[in-house]
Amino acid sequence: MTYDTDGAENGGEPESTDSLKAFGEVVKAFRKRAGLTQEQFAPLVRYSLPTVASVEQGRRFPPGPFVERSEDVLDAFGAIKGAAKHLARKPGLAKWFRQWAEFERRAITLYTYECRVVPGLLQTEKYSKALHSEHLPPLSDEQIESQQDARTERQQLLQERPNTTFGFILEEHLFRRGLGGSEATEELLAHLVKLVQRRNITIQIMPLAQGEHAGLHGSLHLLETPDNRWLGYVEGQESGLIFTDLKVVSTLKLRYARMTSQALTAKDSLSLMQRMMRGET
């Protein structure tokens, strides 16, 4: 079976929901109770005025720190934190990706091959901002901030699931491109070098010298569920497909397995990343 998760309309900015609107009304009520305007409230929670306005209007999923700071600043008797528990939207994630993101949260194994950009789970802030700044149609500062928040939250998977096996195969050209400039690339490489020190995270580099390999069909994602089922996911520019059909998933697994033997070993990949950090060819 294939799930077509197409449906993005505005650069990955999720739609409003009743729970978001209700949360916004709670924040607005306590802000007015405190005698604060949005202009006065924004610096107290250390978010921009547009962000505060969007949260109150139910157009923006509130970042975690926003909830905590609003609760403290407005002395809301736990009401804001309570309302936040019932929010029903994945912040900053494109519509077509949200179902896969839910599967990710419960996965016991997660494999990713990427040839376009460094996967969101591995991105640094500078790299992510550089990526979003090139988005077409252009994103507003508020939309970029929302997507940054989403990536930060999603990356908690790497921290919170030490028993989940994470495997990544990344094309060497993703680093050679220098997205965001040399400083952003060096920061990204340093981040990856640190991540692979964890025993449950493996990163392999597919070298430029490897002219032909099993990933030429494009990027792919695989995961194993807690009941040991395997799912596959592939993504286009404005859509994504989740595969449950055993034959299709088996083919994706076969391609990923072949790539693990065609890419550099984890040890050699680490060495290459360290050399690229030092500016060596």
Side-chain angles (χ1 to χ4, degrees), residues 23 29 55 65 71 86 91 122 168 186 191 202 218 245 264:
F23 177 83
V55 169
E71 180 70 43
H86 301 285
L122 303 178
F168 300 91
E186 290 174 11
H191 175 61
T202 301
D245 181 81
L264 298 178

Side-chain angles (χ1 to χ4, degrees), residues 12-58:
E13 175 66 13
E15 77 282 0
S16 182
T17 64
D18 289 341
S19 64
L20 279 172
K21 294 175 182 177
F23 177 83
E25 289 297 327
V26 171
V27 173
K28 184 191 298 184
F30 277 97
R31 174 179 59 76
K32 289 184 175 181
R33 171 180 171 272
L36 298 172
T37 64
Q38 288 184 344
E39 290 80 1
Q40 293 169 324
F41 179 55
L44 295 178
V45 291
R46 303 197 295 280
Y47 280 95
S48 66
L49 177 59
T51 294
V52 170
S54 293
V55 169
E56 290 192 357
Q57 293 165 13

